[in-house]
Amino acid sequence: MSKRSRRTSVNNIAHPAVEALGAQFAGLDFAPAPLNPQTTGQDVQLCVRVPADRLLDVLRFLYEDERCRFEQLCDLTCVDYLNFPKARDRYGVIYSLLSLSKEHRLWVRCFVNDPDPKVPSVVGIWKGAEWLEREVWDMFGVRFDGHPDLRRILTWEGFKAHPLRKDYPLRGRGEREAFERITTESA
Amino acid sequence: MGLEISIPPYQATKEEFLATKLNYLVDLLRRKGVNWSRKNSLWPMPFATACCGIELMATGASRYDIARFGAEVMRFSPRQCDLMIVAGRVAIKMMPVLQRIYLQMAEPKWVISMGACASTGGVFDTYAVVQGIDQFMPVDVYVPGCPPRPETLLEGVMAIQRIVEAEGVQGPSRQRGLGLVVEPTVQVHVETESANERE
Ligand code: SF4
């Protein structure tokens, strides 16, 4: 089965939110694709891609529109596609959305690049995004414009790197050795 | 006819006799008693951050019963403790907390580093885990294992008891570990920040 025919079969799946998106934002190519290429039929879980400059509009539309109603942001995470086969962009920020009233899910992916990976913050839409965005900032160094309190959340203050980036060495860059030492005499 | 010089034996008064005995007792107490009571009433500070903590709890429970060695009074205030048991891996973010708790404990104090993680970092050879707490603070006894069995920890407590007994009551504290500082096993390559690492 060729890629094209699979893409067609996905487009045939009626996902009300994706249809509404296509009608509202005619100029954007959402490229809906299944998260898992093996799934077909009604089980398929769709992922759309959105450019960073339109991200806030699209997400607000998904939150507010009658056909979408994604009240819940299940997860907000990021992938570093460094050295990933055929990847064109480096970071993919992923929003995992759930609508309890409409009983459907949707994944939204937004690609950003070095040297200044930046996406708008969605704290204004889903309040729970605050810590998730801090985590993505801490681990990947993707900035969230408009975040009320963009501090590190997992690593300690003064830590300089973003450790989940693929080019960060596992053993660190000497952070774990550079630390104050307490001896019997100093105690 | 010989000359007889007789010196009457010195008769200590009752008060003097008591004082001598008391001095002797106090002396004995100071030499033996203080350390004897210290070593049999160790109050541990359980710094249990990971799976080793479960084994520490098992050691405290009835089957292994750390109370047989007088160390069952786990206190969660460092001011009331004299034995810190570091059970589990310590993240770099946790290290200042650990050091502060150690500094808050009253002298004399001892430290057990329990398990592979606390002693060397164990299998967690990553940027966020301290590779042996003895790089940053004094340790008296290392308890090997992953996790150590309760018997091993009890042996560690008994080793602390031997250390307590061997130490003088006064004088400089001898807590400087066994001199077994574990160096990092890997050569860490310290890189300068690349262009895209921004704070
Ligand atoms: S030494 Fe083993 S049991 Fe103990 S904290 Fe480390 S991994 Fe867990």
Side-chain angles (χ1 to χ4, degrees):
Chain A
M1 194 159 120
S2 75
K3 204 172 180 183
R4 179 159 291 280
S5 63
R6 202 191 293 134
R7 172 64 67 80
T8 326
S9 74
V10 165
N11 280 346
N12 290 342
I13 293 167
H15 193 303
V18 176
E19 280 169 11
L21 270 182
Q24 175 79 14
F25 300 91
L28 290 182
D29 175 23
F30 288 106
L35 275 181
N36 178 356
Q38 261 84 49
T39 50
T40 49
Q42 291 305 311
D43 297 336
V44 81
Q45 299 176 318
L46 284 182
C47 180
V48 296
R49 54 178 295 177
V50 178
D53 51 345
R54 301 303 303 279
L55 184 69
L56 212 53
D57 299 338
V58 171
L59 288 177
R60 193 173 289 283
F61 175 79
L62 286 174
Y63 177 73
E64 284 169 353
D65 189 75
E66 205 43 59
R67 292 156 290 179
C68 309
R69 280 259 172 262
F70 288 102
E71 307 99 349
Q72 195 173 341
L73 176 70
C74 293
D75 198 8
L76 193 169
T77 182
C78 182
V79 181
D80 184 357
Y81 287 101
L82 182 71
N83 300 333
F84 194 80
K86 298 205 193 102
R88 272 172 294 143
D89 304 282
R90 177 141 186 209
Y91 307 103
V93 184
I94 298 171
Y95 300 79
S96 166
L97 307 178
L98 167 66
S99 166
L100 289 170
S101 52
K102 299 285 172 191
E103 296 180 6
H104 54 204
R105 289 174 185 273
L106 187 69
W107 281 261
V108 176
R109 191 154 38 176
C110 174
F111 289 102
V112 282
N113 278 298
D114 280 335
D116 187 18
K118 203 192 297 188
V119 292
S121 167
V122 296
V123 175
I125 306 175
W126 296 281
K127 223 162 185 254
E130 184 179 345
W131 280 17
L132 300 171
E133 289 183 348
R134 279 176 66 186
E135 185 183 357
V136 170
W137 155 246
D138 191 0
M139 290 288 131
F140 293 93
V142 175
R143 269 184 197 282
F144 289 86
D145 263 355
H147 190 283
D149 180 26
L150 197 61
R151 282 178 296 137
R152 291 179 175 274
I153 189 168
L154 294 176
T155 57
W156 57 99
E157 276 173 47
F159 191 66
K160 291 279 187 288
H162 301 288
L164 279 193
R165 287 186 176 182
K166 292 275 188 275
D167 54 1
Y168 185 78
L170 173 66
R171 290 178 179 129
R173 297 192 173 121
E175 291 93 349
R176 66 182 187 188
E177 277 80 18
F179 208 84
E180 190 196 350
R181 190 179 292 250
I182 288 187
T183 61
T184 317
E185 286 71 32
S186 72
Chain B
M1 220 166 116
L3 186 66
E4 279 189 18
I5 304 168
S6 83
I7 302 168
Y10 176 70
Q11 283 285 311
T13 63
K14 202 175 171 191
E15 288 74 27
E16 276 174 331
F17 176 76
L18 270 181
T20 322
K21 278 287 183 209
L22 210 59
N23 274 349
Y24 174 74
L25 260 180
V26 167
D27 196 44
L28 195 69
L29 266 180
R30 282 181 53 196
R31 274 189 293 120
K32 297 257 188 263
V34 173
N35 277 352
W36 177 80
S37 37
R38 269 179 193 162
K39 79 170 200 191
N40 288 307
S41 65
L42 292 165
W43 286 26
M45 162 88 222
F47 195 88
T49 47
C51 11
C52 272
I54 305 295
E55 220 62 12
L56 176 59
M57 293 171 214
T59 317
S62 54
R63 188 178 183 94
Y64 295 98
D65 199 10
I66 205 172
R68 292 178 294 153
F69 306 92
E72 80 277 23
V73 198
M74 304 269 176
R75 287 294 137 134
F76 298 93
S77 161
R79 316 246 179 226
Q80 301 175 345
C81 299
D82 53 3
L83 169 64
M84 175 178 257
I85 303 181
V86 183
R89 67 199 82 97
V90 180
I92 304 269
K93 204 174 175 179
M94 204 64 181
M95 200 64 211
V97 181
L98 178 59
Q99 287 181 331
R100 170 172 288 215
I101 289 180
Y102 175 75
L103 290 178
Q104 283 176 342
M105 283 166 59
E107 290 265 2
K109 52 191 170 185
W110 298 272
V111 179
I112 290 182
S113 162
M114 176 182 180
C117 287
S119 306
T120 67
V123 295
F124 302 98
D125 191 3
T126 71
Y127 62 92
V129 178
V130 174
Q131 301 298 296
I133 58 165
D134 55 0
Q135 290 180 20
F136 302 115
M137 59 184 278
V139 172
D140 292 276
V141 168
Y142 302 81
V143 178
C146 176
R149 284 196 55 85
E151 294 94 329
T152 328
L153 181 60
L154 289 178
E155 174 57 33
V157 172
M158 287 160 73
I160 289 283
Q161 290 185 333
R162 292 194 286 274
I163 290 177
V164 174
E165 207 170 18
E167 275 181 9
V169 180
Q170 275 137 0
S173 163
R174 295 216 294 112
Q175 307 164 41
R176 54 182 62 95
L178 306 177
L180 297 172
V181 174
V182 183
E183 294 294 331
T185 48
V186 289
Q187 198 58 45
V188 178
H189 179 55
V190 181
E191 294 171 25
T192 50
E193 295 232 320
S194 63
N196 57 21
E197 297 295 341
R198 301 177 315 116
E199 176 51 282

